[in-house]
Every structure is written in C-alpha cells, then in structure tokens.
Amino acid sequence: MKSIKLREGKERSALRRHPWIFDSAIAKGSGDAGETVRVEANDGKFLGWASFSPASKIRARIWSFDEGQRIDASFFKASIARAIAARSRFDIQSNGVRLIHGESDGLPGLIVDRYDDILVASFLSCGTERWKSVIADELLAQTGLTKLYERSDSNVRKLEGLPEVTGWLRGEGATGVVLREHGWQLSLDVAEGHKTGFYLDQRDSRKKFADYARRLQFQRVLNCYCYTGGFTVAALAGGAAHVTSIDSSGPAIELAKANVALNGFDAARTTMMDADVNASLRQFIQEGRTFDAIVLDPPKFAPSAAHADRAARAYKDINRLAFKLLEPGGVLFTYSCSGGISADLFHKIVASAGTDAPCDGYISERMQGAPDHPMTLAFPEGEYLKGLVVVKAAELVEKAAAATISPDSL
C-alpha cells in the first residue's frame, strides 16, 4: 500500500475528520490516479485512507478515518446504503431526490440524483472514476432501478485531469422525466439540463416562495435566471397574478413555458424573456417598472475562493438593481450557489447592495439547500447554496423618492 506523509502541522484538518488533503500539505509520497493511499502525519501516525489525484490541488480525498477499514467493494456497498438510508429521515416532497452528496456522505467526488425511475451520477474525482463500475452496480442493486445516466461533464473533471463523459452507464431509454414536487409537476431532460438535469437543491425554496405568494398575494413577480421555470411555477401555484421570467437560454425558456402549461396555468399570466438579466433589470428601471416579489437565483459566479472578489461585484450589482425595482414591502429571494462565497460574505454583499440602492430591508429568513444536499459538522464546505429572504423597508425609499433616475445612475 502506497502512502503519503504530511508536513508537520498539516494533520489538523484530518484529525477533525475533514476529507481534503491539499498538495501543499504533502511532504512526500504519491500514488496513481484514483489509487488508495495511506495518509500519515509527519510523525507516522495514521490519519486515513484516501484516493490520490495527481493533477488536482486537492491531492487526496479521504474515504475512511478507520485504520482497520478496507477500501473495497464492501466499503462502497455500505457507504451507499448509509447515504440512501439517511434520506428516509428527511421530509422530501418529490420523486426527485439527491441520494449521494459527495463528501457529506463520505463519498468524495460522487453525486447521485434520482429522478423518478432514472439515476443520474457525476463521477468528479479520480477515486470515484476508478471505482465507477462497482459504484454503478451497487446503486442499481440498492435502489432496484435499471437505468443509470452518467453526467460527468463538470469543469471539476478537468481539474482532476479527467475527460468529460456523458451517456447511459447502465440501461437505456428516453432521458425526459416529469418530476412531482409539492403538488405541481416539472419536466426536465437528464441529458441536457444543468448539473444532473435540475436544481433539486432549491426544492424547499420553491415551496417557500409559493407560500409567500399565497400569503402576501403577489401581483407582479420577477424571476431572474429562471432556467426551466421552477420558481415561476411556484409563484403561479401560490396565486401570483403575473410572473415575468428571464433567462439567457432559449431552450430553458421553452421548457419553462412547457412547465407552465404542464401545470394547467394560463400562459397569459406569464411573460417569458430570452434575454440578459443584468441588461433587462436596467431596462425595467428606465421604464419605471416595479415588482412586489423578485427571485435572483444566478449561476455560480465564484467556483472557488480565488474568484470571490469578482463574483462579489457581480452579486452586488444584480441585488442593487433588484432593490431598485422592488416595491416597499416587496420581497426579494436572493441566492448564491458559489462555494467561494460564504454565507457571511453573501449577507455583506446584499447589505452593501441595499446601501447603494438605497434601501434597507428586514431579513425574514435565511435559506439553504434542501436537506438531501446536507452540510455535515466535519465538512462545512457542503453549504454551497445560501440565500436570504429580504422584505424591503420603506424608510430610505421615501428619502430617495424625489431623486431623478438617470441612465448614468444605473
């Protein structure tokens, strides 16, 4: 068994049961791509069994902290069973569920979602790539399903020195699926959609938005980065009078239209725009339009902490524009799915956007990913999705009401 020895003082995170070993922490030792290596502290003390990734900054990912554990087919059988069993403890109102959430489920680099009778898996590390066949067979055996589609097309694969791979790994058939969620339906294509086909992590946020729409009787809703219209359907299900939805993807907009029709809502209650969100927000301000509810659910602006500064500016700009468009007493659901932006930093960004708008607001709720996308005590990086529900206050708005809005101020 090959081993890697860490530099002195670099064992602390592993002792806290954090699974990542960075290249800069390794004093000596290596392994082949995906090979299991023994991780030792500088004094030779055992720390864990890890998969080795020669090309990645995260040079090793720990499978187990138990020295007596063997990393073999039985290990993956038990780990998959444990992850699936955990989902039975969560209240998941859907036939779409994340079964395995990487490090949070003790399987670094593995994402598995179930969409009705199809499993979709992303193998994002050298370790999971090496054990792909074993993992695939075990997933089908434990779920009783026959179809597994691979979506190993994330940029993370490039960092691991792995090519992008998509297609049927087990079984075959149509890739279109209709999900049942909170009493409504949402169609998707596992071969074409973002991530593994859909944003299952926003399931509870969509329900929360429908609840707000019903309670506050939203009249004019703006859904930015609407993708296939999940929040649009939620708003309509909550009774919103009209929803304007914007996305720069034409195919996504067409699916959003189809989802509105699928749920029996009148298309006249919607406006679908294949357009740039930032430019559209500025246009709406110039036109004097306002909304009493806005959703900002943009794509990942900061894939890592190194991109945080640039991403912070982008998040601040769209939130500032949204605050300008929001009626006093209106509600903003704003999100970041960037791992490089912490919850605390995101709060500061949104607060700064409010200052520049200018407006203040009450933070009604803090949002996070659905429970089947868990953050664990030992792996806080699992909290990639964070959100704020902000109710716009009137005080600063009244002070700025007399100011003339010019194109230069946007």
Side-chain angles (χ1 to χ4, degrees), residues 104-163:
S104 295
D105 283 304
L107 292 166
L110 178 64
I111 299 297
V112 182
D113 289 334
R114 176 173 181 165
Y115 296 102
D116 195 22
D117 65 344
I118 299 176
L119 293 179
V120 183
S122 296
F123 300 88
L124 303 177
S125 67
C126 289
T128 55
E129 181 71 18
R130 190 181 184 101
W131 288 96
K132 183 188 293 185
S133 181
V134 169
I135 291 170
D137 289 342
E138 198 57 48
L139 285 168
L140 295 181
Q142 295 200 32
T143 59
L145 302 181
T146 60
K147 295 185 288 185
L148 172 58
Y149 197 89
E150 181 174 3
R151 283 293 303 270
S152 299
D153 53 354
S154 166
N155 287 335
V156 175
R157 294 266 299 186
K158 297 179 182 178
L159 301 178
E160 292 284 304
L162 298 170

Side-chain angles (χ1 to χ4, degrees), residues 363-406:
I363 296 177
S364 175
E365 300 189 52
R366 294 180 180 272
M367 306 300 291
Q368 59 186 21
D372 51 338
H373 296 64
M375 170 186 67
T376 62
L377 297 175
F379 189 69
E381 290 86 349
E383 189 185 19
Y384 67 95
L385 178 63
K386 69 285 300 183
L388 296 173
V389 180
V390 184
V391 179
K392 185 175 179 179
E395 181 182 357
L396 293 182
V397 176
E398 293 169 354
K399 293 180 180 178
T404 301
I405 297 177
S406 67

Side-chain angles (χ1 to χ4, degrees), residues 88 108 190 236 380:
S88 67
V190 300
L236 295 170

Side-chain angles (χ1 to χ4, degrees), residues 178-181 183-187 233 259 262-263:
V178 176
L179 285 188
R180 169 186 46 77
E181 180 180 290
W184 55 75
Q185 299 180 90
L186 298 165
S187 59
V233 169
N259 280 330
L262 180 64
N263 287 276

Side-chain angles (χ1 to χ4, degrees), residues 247-271:
D247 199 281
S248 60
S249 166
I253 287 292
E254 291 305 311
L255 263 177
K257 292 178 181 178
N259 280 330
V260 169
L262 180 64
N263 287 276
F265 298 123
D266 186 352
R269 293 172 61 192
T270 67
T271 298

Side-chain angles (χ1 to χ4, degrees), residues 34-48:
E35 185 177 7
T36 298
V37 297
R38 177 187 173 97
V39 182
E40 298 178 348
N42 194 256
D43 62 3
K45 179 181 178 180
F46 173 83
L47 295 173

